[in-house]
Amino acid sequence: MPASLTPEDVRLAVRAVVVHTAEEWPTGPLCRNDGASYPCRLHRWGRRVLETHGLNERQIEALIRHGNPFVHVPFPFTATGPSRHPAARVVPPGARPTAAGRPVTPPVTAPRWPRAS
């Protein structure tokens, strides 16, 4: 487990928990990727990293159910989204600045998840 988490650690952890998920066999659940007993080492490592990053059990299970190993998890993660410096002016993609200089965001729609192939 790294001392401090990087965005790359979080990306790899998401991939580990999604790819190394359980698959039912007559002998019991096995890792879908390598056939080891579930949970395998990579799945346990990914879960620990995501828990350290601030995700709870329900959020990790939602990532696994979603099934996309390349889904984006904000870094740093907070309950309301990525933390930002209050003085920083961040214009989200698709927003246009107004005359006052404050961005106007488009209406909220369903999340645009990357397509799994």
Side-chain angles (χ1 to χ4, degrees), residues 2 4-16 42 45-46 49-50 53 69-76:
S4 61
L5 294 177
T6 65
E8 183 67 19
D9 294 328
V10 174
R11 279 193 298 275
L12 289 173
V14 169
R15 192 166 181 189
L42 271 173
W45 173 83
V49 168
L50 292 175
H53 187 55
F70 302 106
V71 71
H72 175 72
V73 175
F75 191 89

Side-chain angles (χ1 to χ4, degrees), residues 73-85:
V73 175
F75 191 89
F77 181 79
T78 60
T80 58
S83 63
R84 296 194 174 130
H85 189 274

Side-chain angles (χ1 to χ4, degrees), residues 32-114:
R32 183 176 69 182
N33 190 56
D34 59 12
S37 63
Y38 178 81
C40 67
R41 284 181 68 188
L42 271 173
H43 186 88
R44 289 191 310 260
W45 173 83
R47 223 174 242 281
R48 280 194 316 267
V49 168
L50 292 175
E51 288 169 354
T52 302
H53 187 55
L55 274 73
N56 61 31
E57 191 69 28
R58 198 182 82 214
Q59 292 166 324
I60 295 171
E61 290 301 320
L63 281 174
I64 294 169
R65 275 193 314 276
H66 186 266
N68 185 351
F70 302 106
V71 71
H72 175 72
V73 175
F75 191 89
F77 181 79
T78 60
T80 58
S83 63
R84 296 194 174 130
H85 189 274
R89 290 201 151 178
V90 178
V91 178
R96 58 190 189 284
T98 62
R102 291 184 294 179
V104 175
T105 57
V108 177
T109 57
R112 295 180 60 202
W113 298 102

